[in-house]
Amino acid sequence: MSSRQTPETKTLIPLFDLARQHVPIAEELISAVARVAEAQNFVLGAGVAEFEAAAAQYIGVGHTVGVASGTDALYLALRLLGLQPGDEIITSPFTFFATAGAIENAGGRIVFADIDPRTFNLDPTAVAAAISSRTRAILPVHLFGQMAEMGPLLELAAQRGLWLIEDAAQSIGAKALVEGRWRSAGTLGTVGCFSFYPTKNLGGWGDGGLVSTDDPELAERLRRLRVHGEDYANARYVYGEVGTNSRLDAIQAAVLHVKLRHLPGWTETRRARAAGYDQRLGEIDAITTPTAEPDRFHVYSLYTIRAPRRDQLREHLGKRGIGTGVYYPLPLHLQPCFGHLGYRAGDLPEAERAAEEVLSLPLYPELTVEEQARVAAGIAEFYGA
Ligand SMILES: *Cc1c(COP(=O)(O)O)cnc(C)c1O
């Protein structure tokens, strides 16, 4: 095939490059998937249980339940609350849509609280102000790979008798120092929710998700909810409550189990790449590099800067073959589908400002130091730094 690239066109630095991760572990993955093909046991089964046990150990939690997606992990976690009309769940307006969508699908009323501009995570003071007599749970999101400020949120939840549901979709392996102990994402709340969407830090060959909990009864109820609510252990085809079909596929579990062994190494390299960006970009006064709190172990699912004239910078980098992303361009309280909640522009100013300023740069373990230098040079050039 002839190349249409002109000689001066440089190699692309995409925002994500899953192929680079795949190549060195391809054989390992393909033989794991071949074993599933030989067994012809595609839904749940021993492979899923083995992956669940390995994930529980990695996360540091008593129980995990594999489900069909991160969205379903959130939805099923919220179903545990038995929400009644008017019951409120407090969450962040600056997150992927699924966080809020799951609340509405589970029958709850979404209450948005503004974010801390330094970390993009829920501001505990704003959460405290949003609590009402109808609040049932706080749903913090550990955004971009850094855990939310869990100490004050745990305190609020305990004081007010609320559940804490962690959206850890972007933060498997992240940690926070809480009450003098390092605690992992997904172990502090009543339940934690994870996603294995392909571009997440631990990504499958399709959709997948997981719920974590230390409560054996909640785990068992989640196992029933993912098979329509069937009392599968005692009475097949008897349903105590209405669940849904949300099982983790055996093929996904096989892929994820292989990749889980590589995750700690990938995480360390992500952190090293992020430190490299911090150093190179720290000299460019126009932009703000991500804040990594000293009491957090950040796993950098995304390396997100704040940049003036963000859209022009994005275009400038795009012309140089550098992929970037905007997570997220429209805060959730201003989404058309949530108009009935009554929020207006200006209500949550930090989330709105973040939506205008954020830009995520390529960051994956396989990104080379030279590529990082090119990204930094492209940004410096734009600001004339
Ligand atoms: C990816 C993501 C989800 C949803 O996970 P899916 O597996 O794509 O359904 C939920 N919340 C956050 C913060 C996410 O990043």
Side-chain angles (χ1 to χ4, degrees):
M1 287 271 290
S2 71
S3 165
R4 268 195 265 135
Q5 284 187 342
T6 52
E8 65 270 28
T9 305
K10 289 188 180 157
T11 332
L12 287 173
I13 309 175
L15 178 62
F16 297 109
D17 191 344
L18 297 177
R20 293 195 207 183
Q21 180 193 72
H22 176 68
V23 171
I25 57 169
E27 268 177 51
E28 215 183 335
L29 287 166
I30 288 164
S31 55
V33 170
R35 285 193 289 278
V36 177
E38 281 150 23
Q40 290 287 303
N41 193 357
F42 295 113
V43 174
L44 295 178
V48 170
E50 285 160 20
F51 168 67
E52 286 173 336
Q57 193 176 23
Y58 179 75
I59 293 164
V61 74
H63 309 273
T64 66
V65 180
V67 296
S69 67
T71 302
D72 274 2
L74 288 161
Y75 167 72
L76 293 174
L78 287 156
R79 282 289 312 271
L80 295 171
L81 280 161
L83 296 170
Q84 298 302 307
D87 281 356
E88 295 172 356
I89 311 290
I90 300 172
T91 196
S92 170
F94 193 64
T95 171
F96 180 56
F97 179 79
T99 314
I103 295 171
E104 199 147 302
N105 282 335
R109 182 177 172 86
I110 306 159
V111 174
F112 291 114
D114 211 351
I115 56 167
D116 177 340
R118 296 171 65 252
T119 61
F120 305 108
N121 280 324
L122 264 182
D123 174 355
T125 312
V127 171
I131 295 176
S132 81
S133 61
R134 297 305 308 267
T135 307
R136 299 287 312 281
I138 305 168
L139 204 174
V141 181
H142 305 315
L143 204 70
F144 302 148
Q146 179 163 238
M147 283 179 72
E149 209 176 318
M150 294 300 283
L153 294 179
L154 281 162
E155 217 167 284
L156 276 175
Q159 276 167 8
R160 307 294 295 257
L162 309 174
W163 277 34
L164 213 91
I165 298 176
E166 294 173 72
D167 183 340
Q170 299 182 4
S171 293
I172 189 163
K175 294 182 184 70
L177 195 57
V178 178
E179 287 162 7
R181 272 210 303 148
W182 284 98
R183 307 283 300 270
S184 294
T187 68
L188 284 161
T190 319
V191 285
C193 304
F194 295 85
S195 165
F196 304 125
Y197 182 76
T199 57
K200 304 284 159 109
N201 286 25
L202 178 62
W205 283 4
D207 280 311
L210 188 101
V211 187
S212 62
T213 181
D214 275 321
D215 183 327
E217 279 167 31
L218 292 182
E220 204 36 51
R221 204 169 143 214
L222 287 162
R223 291 203 169 88
R224 290 194 297 269
L225 283 169
R226 75 177 168 182
V227 291
H228 300 283
E230 183 188 39
D231 187 10
Y232 65 95
N234 305 305
R236 297 287 324 263
Y237 300 103
V238 175
Y239 305 84
E241 66 181 317
V242 179
T244 186
N245 174 3
S246 184
R247 302 170 295 218
L248 185 65
D249 283 348
I251 288 177
Q252 298 308 334
V255 167
L256 293 165
H257 204 158
V258 168
K259 287 194 179 187
L260 183 62
R261 292 195 275 271
H262 297 276
L263 184 62
W266 289 335
T267 299
E268 282 311 324
T269 314
R270 276 179 183 277
R271 287 169 51 79
R273 292 290 171 272
Y277 269 140
D278 286 346
Q279 199 195 352
R280 288 172 195 280
L281 300 176
E283 294 156 19
I284 306 171
D285 289 338
I287 64 164
T288 309
T289 54
T291 303
E293 299 282 30
D295 60 354
R296 260 33 83 85
F297 181 83
H298 199 319
V299 298
Y300 292 97
S301 55
L302 289 166
Y303 187 90
T304 304
I305 62 168
R306 283 183 189 263
R309 295 187 288 132
R310 187 261 324 271
D311 295 336
Q312 291 98 305
L313 171 63
R314 197 172 182 209
E315 209 186 305
H316 173 88
L317 295 174
K319 281 187 197 142
R320 278 149 190 78
I322 298 164
T324 55
V326 174
Y327 305 97
Y328 297 88
L330 184 63
L332 298 184
H333 65 291
L334 302 179
Q335 293 290 345
C337 66
F338 296 139
H340 61 280
L341 298 175
Y343 290 94
R344 297 273 173 273
D347 286 350
L348 299 166
E350 290 301 344
E352 291 165 35
R353 188 163 70 86
E356 284 170 14
E357 295 180 352
V358 288
L359 189 68
S360 299
L361 307 179
L363 185 126
Y364 24 90
E366 303 79 14
L367 187 74
T368 67
V369 172
E370 285 115 61
E371 287 174 319
Q372 283 201 292
R374 274 183 53 203
V375 175
I379 296 172
E381 185 186 34
F382 178 77
Y383 291 109

